[in-house]
Amino acid sequence: MRFQDAARDARTVVYAGIQADPLVARAAEALAEATPAVLVLARAVMNGESDDEATWRAIFPTLLGPLADAPSRAAAEAALQPALAIAAKGAEARNQYRGAVVEELTARLLARRSGHVRRERRVLFDGVPAEIHPYDVTIEDDRRPEVYDCKWGARGIVDDVLHQLDDARAHAADEEVALPVALVVFDTARSCAVRLDRTYAPRAGTAIVPLERMRSLAATVPVPDDPAVGDA
Amino acid sequence: MTVRDAVDRALAAYADLQGGAEDVEDEWMYIQDLTAAHRERLEALADADGDRELDPAVGSAIEAACDEIGRIRDPHRAIDWLSTFPSVVAIALGQEP
């Protein structure tokens, strides 16, 4: 098993420009310490409707308004400005930017426990035709490699993505390599669970990391199981 | 406004949002399952704590959030909001997303 840079075409060159935009880094940096509530705030703003700051301050009084405590307010304020800047972009660009933010956030969290984090990499196996689609984030540690794909919302959980992750895990196992694979979804566990109920793709060996668990990426390898939904 | 009032207002706006999202026919079943799951959660919040009077800022937040989703015309964006809006409401009510 080995890793390789993805082939570059016009689309990937354009997307690489977005990934390299300092706005993406600023957004990811602000979200790396964020609570799930602040991540929901960022998701709401970047969903793209109002770009009026006052609207969001009114909608989130426990984070940005009179009911916020100081730590929550600081984290929410840091997240708000880059999210608004992304929300103000046109629909097509906004979709690409917010996807890039989820990838960058994932990479930054993983980098806290590994010095081998890479982006947009293919995984090659002996005797197996190479997948064209690269994985969003990889940890290329010879002793314990890991592979991640990232999605903005639960709707992005589709059979192709789950098959691709499971294929990587299974082919690695054929080479006697234990390869943790995970799908990071910037959406709530509840929405992910609903989406997963509708898929028949193999996922027993794939960890699903919803918004509530994102911070755990910095500390531990995610374990394959269905997203836990907290009780109301 | 009580928690029950807020949840009722939110669920009415959520139903309208669902109607807009259903234009994406390929996702019709997902939308039904998604909204059922989130409605159930919000209703549970009201059942547990429905008579609690809310801070006026929370009442205003619920109204502002409902107004926000009421402006959505794009069905794909509506689907994004179907999974986000209930968490926004929960956060305003002092709950985890």
Side-chain angles (χ1 to χ4, degrees):
Chain A
M1 173 187 149
R2 60 199 182 280
F3 294 91
Q4 184 184 68
D5 279 341
R8 290 172 73 84
D9 56 21
R11 188 197 67 81
T12 59
V13 169
V14 170
Y15 189 57
I18 290 172
Q19 290 172 313
D21 188 325
L23 174 59
V24 171
R26 192 154 57 93
E29 181 65 25
L31 297 178
E33 301 292 343
T35 61
V38 172
L39 295 179
V40 167
L41 160 68
R43 178 175 161 80
V45 175
M46 288 190 282
N47 269 346
E49 199 54 42
S50 175
D51 57 5
D52 173 22
E53 188 174 325
T55 297
W56 299 109
R57 294 188 183 282
I59 290 175
F60 288 96
T62 57
L63 298 175
L64 293 164
L67 306 179
D69 59 32
S72 297
R73 182 189 298 276
E77 292 285 356
L80 179 61
Q81 296 306 328
L84 281 168
I86 290 169
K89 295 185 179 297
E92 182 109 358
R94 181 173 56 240
N95 290 346
Q96 292 187 302
Y97 267 85
R98 64 193 195 182
V101 168
V102 179
E103 295 165 11
E104 178 68 20
L105 174 57
T106 299
R108 283 173 180 247
L109 291 168
L110 294 174
R112 293 181 179 182
R113 62 175 170 83
S114 173
H116 304 277
V117 176
R118 301 289 301 270
R119 303 280 299 275
E120 304 288 347
R121 297 276 280 174
R122 298 197 301 170
V123 187
L124 307 179
F125 301 95
D126 287 343
V128 177
E131 292 275 357
I132 295 172
H133 177 75
Y135 296 93
D136 293 324
V137 186
T138 51
I139 292 180
E140 300 181 16
D141 182 330
D142 289 342
R143 294 164 301 153
R144 189 73 191 262
E146 300 171 35
V147 164
Y148 294 82
D149 263 336
C150 303
K151 294 293 170 190
W152 168 255
R155 195 180 171 198
I157 302 174
V158 296
D159 285 359
D160 282 356
V161 172
L162 293 170
H163 272 293
Q164 190 180 4
L165 286 165
D166 191 66
D167 284 351
R169 182 200 57 76
H171 292 316
D174 290 343
E175 297 185 12
E176 300 185 345
V177 175
L179 178 66
V181 298
L183 184 59
V184 177
V185 188
F186 200 70
D187 207 337
T188 62
R190 191 176 308 272
S191 295
C192 291
V194 170
R195 190 68 172 181
L196 286 165
D197 275 348
R198 303 190 52 75
T199 180
Y200 298 99
R203 66 173 199 271
T206 302
I208 307 294
V209 183
L211 179 146
E212 294 93 329
R213 287 192 194 167
M214 284 209 70
R215 283 192 297 183
S216 70
L217 291 171
T220 58
V221 179
V223 176
D225 62 356
D226 280 346
V229 177
D231 294 331
Chain B
M1 179 182 275
T2 65
V3 170
R4 170 66 68 187
D5 295 334
V7 168
D8 287 348
R9 172 74 176 99
L11 288 176
Y14 196 55
D16 290 341
L17 181 68
Q18 177 179 347
E22 286 172 351
D23 287 347
V24 183
E25 293 180 3
D26 289 350
E27 297 287 10
W28 194 88
M29 272 310 300
Y30 171 57
I31 289 167
Q32 306 311 308
D33 293 346
L34 182 69
T35 52
H38 284 293
R39 264 199 308 271
E40 183 180 356
R41 195 273 171 111
L42 290 178
E43 286 166 353
L45 291 178
D47 290 344
D49 199 21
D51 293 334
R52 177 165 61 92
E53 282 290 334
L54 295 170
D55 187 287
V58 175
S60 298
I62 300 297
E63 287 295 338
C66 291
D67 289 348
E68 188 69 10
I69 64 169
R71 282 198 286 272
I72 294 167
R73 295 292 173 264
D74 177 73
H76 296 281
R77 193 178 298 185
I79 295 176
D80 278 344
W81 271 102
L82 284 176
S83 69
T84 310
F85 176 75
S87 297
V88 172
V89 172
I91 292 168
L93 294 175
Q95 304 293 321
E96 290 297 312

